[in-house]
Amino acid sequence: MINQLHKRWWKVLGAVLMLYTFTAGMMIQVPARFVLHETIRNLFFHVPVWFTMILLLLVSLVQSVRFLRTGKMVHDIMAAETAAVAVLFGCLGFLTGMLWGSFTWGDTFSWLFADTKILGAFIGLMIYAAYFILRGSINDEEKRARVAAVYSIFAYMLLIVFIFVIPRLTDSLHPGNGGNPAFSTYDLDNSMRTVFYPAVFAYFLTGLWIASLRVRVRILHYRKHHINVL
Amino acid sequence: MRFFIRLLAVLLTALHPAWLLAQSSDQAEMATGLRSNGLIWIVVGVILIILCGLLLYLYNLDRRITNMEKEQ
């Protein structure tokens, strides 16, 4: 992945898919459904934000494992920076979900506890907040990297449990959870998938782009102090 | 670059021939009026301008960091 930091093709692909998402997401015919109305289009904008968070954290997990295997600091840098961007996407997911939910589920004030998946995602984000607190509390860089890498393996497993497993076992308003069907029932002719899947890639690649810039700045910082992290 | 522009053009035309069709009458209320008089394009335009601005900003950051890397 390190040799992809300066490549241009995936950044261009992400930008093009982003433009496609925001054009097609607004313009295509969507199924008309009661309660949802036009807000069904939020499937193209709200859901990929969460997918991106989970994918970026997966990248962070892979980099953590690679750090443990190789001991190269660049993997630790990549793990930390992708996790940071993932948390940003998680916060955006919360804000957009609050807005959407307050109009379709009609619940503004108890939003955190209104739904198992929201609470699960919140706990997941808190686990990653603890990841950064843990990093900040260790001064020795090698030690910090090792402890954080081990912690992030546990953190990702917990995140998967809280976001994907527990909401399926209990009641949830989110489609695809608690016995609810996923969006295949709302989208009979699969037309929404033609925007939804590119949207996931668009957000993910853009998130990676932001993370790659942060990584490069960190590498520059180290190089300024004559430390080679590669 | 040109490849991606072509890819986008193919995607846009192949996937959504239904764009120009009028929406059939459904019971649930949808923004059909907004689309029929064309005003939705203005919203899409605004979104695209903001998005292009953000992406250009990101591109500029990328280039600046590349310059810093070359200086060292």
Side-chain angles (χ1 to χ4, degrees), chain A residues 6 11 37-38 41 209 216, chain B residues 29 31 35 62 66 69:
Chain A
H6 297 86
K11 296 168 189 170
H37 301 290
E38 291 283 353
R41 290 181 197 278
W209 191 2
R216 282 163 64 187
Chain B
E29 192 185 332
R35 199 167 295 102
D62 198 311
T66 308
E69 283 166 340

Side-chain angles (χ1 to χ4, degrees), chain B residues 53-67:
Chain B
L54 289 174
L55 290 173
L56 275 179
Y57 181 79
L58 211 52
Y59 174 73
N60 255 344
L61 265 182
D62 198 311
R63 232 182 33 187
R64 267 188 216 184
I65 293 171
T66 308
N67 284 341

